[in-house]
Amino acid sequence: MDFRLTDEQAALRESVRDFARDVVAPVIAEHYEQHTFPYEVIRQMGKMGLFGLPFDEEHGGMGGDYFALCLALEELARVDSSVAITLEAAVSLGAMPIYRFGTEEQKATWLPRLLSGEALAGFGLTEPGTGSDAAGTQTRAVLDGDEWVINGSKAFITNSGTDITAMVTVTAVTGTNPDGSKELSTIIVPTGTPGFTVAPGYSKVGWTASDTHELTFDDCRVPAANLLGERGRGFAQFLRILDEGRIAIAALAVGLAQGCVDESIKYAKERHAFGRPIGVNQAIQFKIADMELKAHTARLAYYDAAARMLAGEPFKRQAAIAKLHASTIAVDNAREATQIHGGYGFMNEYPVARFWRDSKILEIGEGTSEVQRMIIARDLGL
Ligand SMILES: Cc1cc2nc3c(=O)[nH]c(=O)nc-3n(C[C@H](O)[C@H](O)[C@H](O)COP(=O)(O)OP(=O)(O)OC[C@H]3O[C@@H](n4cnc5c(N)ncnc54)[C@H](O)[C@@H]3O)c2cc1C
């Protein structure tokens, strides 16, 4: 088993690391403070090919794989999580369902713009009344002639309301299965379709430079051809998308955890108390050593999950472990990094304050920590 990166993977990591330091870091605090979407940063990420990383060249991608996406997410989140989650949601939740389940016509219509970063797509699964229990979906779609008529609403949908959002995929109840359970299907709804309303952005604790909205569908009509994949396969589709997405969120969490280490080392050397740098105190050194330990082990967990996924092996349990562990240690590291920064850690001008505010959602989004434990336990036969 070899967890060392190939030359190509190391080069990608370096180029994203440079980009995060030179392009993201100088502007992101202002966007975070003003709650504005960093269009120019996103445009440059598109030019770098980041939105096309795990897709084949035939469809306009970079010919890389999911692990390449994870490496990029880790390096971005080491500096800023709003930009990282924008990429994560755009690729693994936005474009991936079209790539995995779409017809050639749907791929030809949507992928070129999504994979170049020129356009973004959202993934509408969560509803105001149901998140963890995704089978509790209330949104309904009824086939009327050659159109789906959609009614319902979705909550917390990332990338769904930017100026460059082209569409959202929406899970909806389309009937009843023979065993009496809900038949769930996924439907593509282009931005601007009559009856599709995007509410103003939420006021969030963190990820404030990312885009999140509630969506309403009121007799919203789209062509029958906008069904994504087979009718009734919605449940299986989003389980697959979320299993993969957990590895990506784990990578993002590792990036945040490592960013906490970076900032803490810098500050521990600069800041003086009692006539010497605070970093000479073993209490501070041990905090930082523990933070590095956590980031390192969480990284190995997501490398392992990604390796299994790319080898075509079962990876559900390992993805849940990676997401659960990485999000837990991200919160730990953010708390300790803030502590090391003392009062300055509570000031928004310091990156660790952003890390602290951005860390909590990692234990909630794309499956809460409780849901990850349920997945692990189920996979162990419990
Ligand atoms: C900023 C942001 C961005 C998001 N982006 C998207 C997106 O792009 N697309 C999308 O579809 N969703 C998105 N989400 C939604 C997110 O995935 C959900 O919030 C998450 O899955 C939890 O669902 P919920 O909020 O309904 O919590 P609930 O399901 O109501 O859970 C509440 C609490 O109860 C616990 N709980 C629930 N059931 C059990 C159980 N059986 N046993 C033990 N504990 C349980 C949960 O773990 C949690 O602690 C986003 C959320 C946020 C905040």
Side-chain angles (χ1 to χ4, degrees):
M1 190 174 288
D2 188 352
F3 279 120
R4 281 171 301 180
L5 301 186
T6 63
D7 290 347
E8 203 181 346
Q9 289 165 340
L12 169 70
R13 189 178 59 174
E14 283 308 308
S15 69
V16 180
R17 186 174 292 175
D18 292 348
F19 176 81
R21 185 192 57 227
D22 299 341
V23 179
V24 180
V27 301
I28 202 63
E30 176 76 10
H31 284 293
Y32 201 84
E33 201 68 14
Q34 302 299 324
H35 295 210
T36 49
F37 190 75
Y39 286 102
E40 179 52 26
V41 172
I42 299 302
R43 193 187 65 76
Q44 291 192 51
M45 283 161 57
K47 280 185 80 176
M48 282 175 78
L50 299 188
F51 290 88
L53 274 176
F55 304 104
D56 62 33
E57 289 168 9
E58 186 196 339
H59 290 99
M62 300 295 287
D65 57 29
Y66 212 82
F67 184 59
L69 170 68
C70 291
L71 289 175
L73 289 170
E74 183 185 333
E75 288 308 319
L76 286 173
R78 203 167 162 172
V79 169
D80 176 66
S81 288
S82 292
V83 167
I85 192 59
T86 299
L87 176 66
E88 194 275 342
V91 175
S92 77
L93 301 181
M96 195 58 87
I98 307 287
Y99 184 73
R100 288 233 181 278
F101 314 119
T103 60
E104 280 310 316
E105 195 181 336
Q106 288 167 341
K107 291 180 190 176
T109 304
W110 300 109
L111 290 183
R113 290 170 65 211
L114 299 180
L115 272 46
S116 66
E118 198 186 310
L120 297 173
F123 176 72
L125 172 64
T126 306
E127 300 194 351
T130 191
S132 303
D133 179 15
T137 300
Q138 297 289 322
T139 296
R140 301 195 79 84
V142 176
L143 204 51
D144 179 26
D146 57 1
E147 288 180 328
W148 289 105
V149 185
I150 307 170
N151 280 287
S153 52
K154 297 286 171 182
F156 311 131
I157 309 306
T158 306
N159 289 341
S160 60
T162 70
D163 295 350
I164 56 170
T165 299
M167 57 96 157
V168 292
T169 51
V170 178
T171 51
V173 181
T174 48
T176 308
N177 291 316
D179 66 359
S181 62
K182 288 173 180 170
E183 178 194 82
L184 287 178
S185 305
T186 311
I187 299 170
I188 299 169
V189 183
T191 304
T193 305
F196 169 24
T197 311
V198 180
Y202 291 94
S203 169
K204 292 173 293 190
V205 170
W207 286 0
T208 61
S210 77
D211 180 78
T212 326
H213 300 265
E214 182 168 340
L215 311 177
T216 311
F217 303 89
D218 189 9
D219 282 334
C220 173
R221 288 177 173 270
V222 297
N226 283 22
L227 180 72
L228 187 60
E230 274 175 61
R231 180 172 176 166
R233 296 289 297 160
F235 201 70
Q237 288 171 348
F238 70 67
L239 288 184
R240 168 76 199 199
I241 291 298
L242 292 179
D243 278 341
E244 295 175 358
R246 282 172 189 136
I247 308 176
I249 293 289
L252 197 155
V254 168
L256 185 147
Q258 195 67 55
C260 290
V261 176
D262 299 341
E263 293 300 323
S264 297
I265 293 172
K266 220 183 323 169
Y267 195 75
K269 289 181 176 170
E270 274 167 27
R271 179 70 176 175
H272 283 65
F274 300 98
R276 55 195 196 151
I278 58 168
V280 301
N281 298 297
Q282 206 174 48
I284 300 285
Q285 291 174 3
F286 279 13
K287 271 191 203 298
I288 296 174
D290 283 348
M291 288 159 65
E292 174 67 13
L293 162 94
K294 289 176 178 181
H296 179 72
T297 50
R299 180 177 298 110
L300 294 181
Y302 97 68
Y303 276 25
D304 173 52
R308 285 169 192 269
M309 175 190 156
L310 294 180
E313 294 169 10
F315 64 96
K316 187 186 268 294
R317 187 197 316 170
Q318 289 75 17
I321 288 171
K323 200 269 181 182
L324 173 59
H325 182 50
S327 58
T328 306
I329 67 97
V331 174
D332 290 347
N333 279 13
R335 188 184 57 244
E336 293 296 41
T338 304
Q339 191 69 18
I340 288 169
H341 281 67
Y344 290 106
F346 204 60
M347 298 299 122
N348 279 325
E349 66 186 277
Y350 279 79
V352 291
R354 221 165 55 229
F355 292 152
W356 193 40
R357 288 166 60 183
D358 289 341
S359 62
K360 186 57 200 166
I361 180 60
L362 298 168
E363 294 185 318
I364 298 170
E366 294 200 33
T368 63
S369 294
E370 291 76 18
V371 166
Q372 305 312 318
R373 288 188 170 91
M374 283 162 60
I375 292 168
I376 296 164
R378 237 179 251 154
D379 201 60
L380 290 171
L382 296 166

